[in-house]
Amino acid sequence: MDTKEIERFRQTLHKRREEILNASNHNLEAARELGTDGVSDIADEGSVSYNRMVLVSLSEAEKKRIVEIDDALARIKNGTYGICQSCGEAIGDKRLDVKPEAQNCIKCQNGAEGKR
Ligand SMILES: [Zn+2]
């Protein structure tokens, strides 16, 4: 995967992350009231403590989604984005277009869901 593609996925991930966080905007307000001065960029990877506070106020499904997105962003950073975490094969652009935070290729994903 070239850097242009990765950048596109990175932006998609950031956008989705913001969408989830904006959807629980009232929760963000509550988090602010707890005293988080000087932190304005919610997408900033550096504002971990602020993110934690926001996470507390999200639903389980939203939390899971954010964690998956953060994991994907971390993989972009360390250069393993787009590689299946189970078998090490490429996940494939088509799957990443649908689910940019995907950790596994469709084969491993189906296998994992079958076990549950
Ligand atoms: Zn796989």
Short mmCIF file of all heavy atoms in Angstrom, two decimals, residues 84 86-88 104-105 108, ligand 1:
data_model
loop_
_atom_site.label_atom_id
_atom_site.label_comp_id
_atom_site.label_asym_id
_atom_site.label_seq_id
_atom_site.Cartn_x
_atom_site.Cartn_y
_atom_site.Cartn_z
N CYS A 84 -3.21 -8.19 7.98
CA CYS A 84 -4.03 -8.97 8.89
C CYS A 84 -3.25 -9.32 10.16
O CYS A 84 -2.12 -9.79 10.09
CB CYS A 84 -4.50 -10.25 8.20
SG CYS A 84 -5.41 -11.34 9.31
N SER A 86 -3.91 -11.58 12.23
CA SER A 86 -3.93 -13.02 12.50
C SER A 86 -2.98 -13.79 11.60
O SER A 86 -2.19 -14.60 12.06
CB SER A 86 -5.34 -13.57 12.35
OG SER A 86 -6.20 -12.92 13.26
N CYS A 87 -3.08 -13.55 10.29
CA CYS A 87 -2.30 -14.38 9.36
C CYS A 87 -1.18 -13.62 8.66
O CYS A 87 -0.35 -14.23 8.00
CB CYS A 87 -3.23 -15.04 8.33
SG CYS A 87 -3.96 -13.88 7.18
N GLY A 88 -1.14 -12.29 8.79
CA GLY A 88 -0.06 -11.52 8.21
C GLY A 88 -0.21 -11.22 6.73
O GLY A 88 0.67 -10.61 6.13
N ASN A 104 -8.34 -7.69 10.75
CA ASN A 104 -8.12 -9.00 10.13
C ASN A 104 -8.64 -9.02 8.71
O ASN A 104 -9.56 -8.27 8.37
CB ASN A 104 -8.85 -10.08 10.93
CG ASN A 104 -8.37 -10.13 12.36
OD1 ASN A 104 -7.18 -10.07 12.63
ND2 ASN A 104 -9.30 -10.22 13.28
N CYS A 105 -8.08 -9.90 7.91
CA CYS A 105 -8.60 -10.11 6.57
C CYS A 105 -9.97 -10.80 6.70
O CYS A 105 -10.31 -11.32 7.77
CB CYS A 105 -7.64 -10.95 5.73
SG CYS A 105 -7.47 -12.64 6.27
N CYS A 108 -9.94 -14.46 8.10
CA CYS A 108 -9.72 -14.59 9.54
C CYS A 108 -10.90 -14.03 10.31
O CYS A 108 -11.27 -14.56 11.36
CB CYS A 108 -8.45 -13.87 9.95
SG CYS A 108 -6.97 -14.63 9.31
ZN ZN B 1 -5.97 -13.15 7.97
#
